[in-house]
Amino acid sequence: MKSILLTTTAIVAFAGAAAADGHTGVSFGGNAMLGFNDNDAFGEDGFYYDLNMNVALTAALDNGVTAAANFNIEIDDEGAQGDELTGNNDYVLASSSYVLSLTTDTAGLHFGDVAFAAETQWSGAGDMEADAFSEADGEVAIRGDVMLGGVSASVSYVVAASSGDIVADDTTDTVDQLSVGASGDLGMFSFAVAYQQEAEYAGYFANNGDFTDNEVFGVSAGTTVGGADVTVAYAQWKGVAPSTQELTSLGVQVALPVGPVTATVYYVSEDNVASDADDNYGVTVAYAEGPLAATFDYDNDQGTDKWNLDGSFDAGNGLTVLAGMQNENEGDDADYYVGGTYDLGGGAELLAVYANDEDGDQADEIGAGEYLPGTTVEVSFAF
């Protein structure tokens, strides 16, 4: 049975001690958004809105430790059950994304909605199928970090699922899926290494599509040769018992900047002991100079060609023109978008864009901005 050495109660108590002995601070921030989309097949179908208030509490101890608590209060139009206080089914008022932490210049302990250790430290080489480390999306986790001599290392456990179900309530353990990772620079080389255990309770975290129950290991190294950044990486993924599947990925990625252009190419050799796996490869060309920026990306993902082109032009006086095309499903017609943003000043921005989903399969993911199909007009504010 696993256990956590520093419980949430201890963290809160520690934060209280810091408030008593050191300097305290409270800060507020937030953002708001109101939009309209005219497509009734996907997305919002009419008006949509979202408001977030961010609260940050900090307290400094005399011995160099900073205690902090951060949380988010959100009101949006996604609620189906309504707010328990008002009975209003048109919106949800909820607190989310909370983090309690104790940090110094060289170490930190974080509890709440935080990234997992492997996710924090890992850096691969292109599109590797086997480096399927779990990515946090609303789970509650506890993670410790330490930085020493140019090397950063992390270790974490998952405490609760994104649904709010605590592991200890339904199992004999208090936490699940150990995750560890380290990265840094050693002379002229950079490196990353990461490992996550197989989750003991397969499917427990299924509400997050980016959570993988599998045991995963990865190691990568990089250096600069003739002005090009070269990265080589290896990853291994094992099937959840009783499955005997094992997938390995060996990839190399080269990024070369030439003036305003940066070209990145990668190739990944994929090997699956239980079934055939196609190799992955791709190229990205990014251009940025003056008011013009453009990115073209092509990938062959397990035998399927995917490409997208995104561009922007700063026309001055706060106006930026946007346009792009993409084809995420080989054989389909290309989707496209055109529009722009206008800086209203004071952290406010107006977006107007038309996006065309040729085959009705992209929902709200057209272009780099993941625009809704149809015409969208949206104003956002940052406070």
Side-chain angles (χ1 to χ4, degrees):
M1 178 176 178
K2 296 181 288 288
S3 62
I4 299 175
L5 297 180
L6 185 58
T7 65
T8 57
T9 303
I11 293 178
V12 174
F14 201 175
D21 296 338
H23 304 286
T24 63
V26 180
S27 63
F28 297 90
N31 56 76
M33 175 265 292
L34 173 64
F36 178 85
N37 177 264
D38 68 348
N39 190 303
D40 59 1
F42 297 100
E44 307 297 344
D45 183 21
F47 285 101
Y48 58 93
Y49 50 90
D50 183 74
L51 185 149
N52 289 273
M53 182 175 70
N54 310 115
V55 183
L57 314 174
T58 59
L61 287 141
D62 293 336
N63 59 8
V65 176
T66 298
N70 302 273
F71 63 92
N72 175 64
I73 298 175
E74 181 177 7
I75 299 175
D76 63 32
D77 63 338
E78 299 298 330
Q81 298 179 354
D83 177 58
E84 295 180 0
L85 297 178
T86 66
N88 188 337
N89 288 326
D90 295 330
Y91 65 87
V92 165
L93 173 62
S95 175
S96 62
S97 302
Y98 63 88
V99 178
L100 305 176
S101 66
L102 297 172
T103 58
T104 68
D105 290 339
T106 58
L109 180 65
H110 311 268
F111 180 89
D113 188 357
V114 298
F116 306 138
E119 175 189 6
T120 301
Q121 303 292 348
W122 173 245
S123 178
D127 181 13
M128 305 176 66
E129 298 296 319
D131 67 344
F133 293 105
S134 294
E135 298 180 7
D137 186 15
E139 286 85 10
V140 176
I142 184 167
R143 192 189 77 231
D145 303 322
V146 62
M147 291 73 68
L148 182 63
V151 176
S152 172
S154 301
V155 58
S156 69
Y157 276 108
V158 191
V159 177
S162 56
S163 61
D165 295 330
I166 298 175
V167 173
D169 285 350
D170 298 320
T171 74
T172 58
D173 293 307
T174 58
V175 292
D176 202 350
Q177 195 171 78
L178 168 68
S179 178
V180 297
S183 63
D185 297 304
L186 299 174
M188 61 181 294
F189 295 96
S190 62
F191 79 95
V193 59
Y195 170 79
Q196 72 177 33
Q197 279 186 339
E198 177 183 324
E200 296 196 26
Y201 302 96
Y204 193 84
F205 305 96
N207 284 347
N208 175 7
D210 293 322
F211 191 98
T212 57
D213 293 325
N214 310 81
E215 180 183 20
V216 184
F217 167 77
V219 59
S220 69
T223 189
T224 300
V225 180
D229 295 325
V230 181
T231 303
V232 178
Y234 171 83
Q236 182 184 68
W237 169 97
K238 293 185 178 181
V240 177
S243 171
T244 59
Q245 286 197 67
E246 183 176 304
L247 175 66
T248 61
S249 300
L250 177 61
V252 59
Q253 177 176 284
V254 180
L256 177 64
V258 181
V261 177
T262 298
T264 304
V265 296
Y266 71 88
Y267 186 89
V268 182
S269 175
E270 305 285 1
D271 184 22
N272 193 329
V273 299
S275 61
D276 292 334
D278 292 324
D279 294 343
N280 291 341
Y281 55 89
V283 58
T284 300
V285 179
Y287 172 88
E289 187 171 37
L292 181 63
T295 300
F296 174 77
D297 182 73
Y298 165 80
D299 298 282
N300 185 281
D301 183 6
Q302 292 297 285
T304 300
D305 290 324
K306 301 178 180 180
W307 62 266
N308 63 274
L309 174 65
D310 295 284
S312 65
F313 178 77
D314 186 349
N317 297 317
L319 176 64
T320 300
V321 180
L322 307 171
M325 300 180 66
Q326 71 178 34
N327 191 331
E328 295 294 321
N329 298 292
E330 187 175 6
D332 289 351
D333 295 327
D335 306 319
Y336 65 89
Y337 68 92
V338 61
T341 61
Y342 184 73
D343 187 355
L344 300 173
E349 183 180 82
L350 174 67
L351 166 71
V353 63
Y354 172 77
N356 187 47
D357 184 1
E358 284 288 338
D359 298 286
D361 56 4
Q362 289 302 306
D364 62 346
E365 297 180 353
I366 300 177
E370 299 187 346
Y371 303 115
L372 295 164
T375 300
T376 298
V377 179
E378 179 183 296
V379 61
S380 59
F381 307 88
F383 303 97

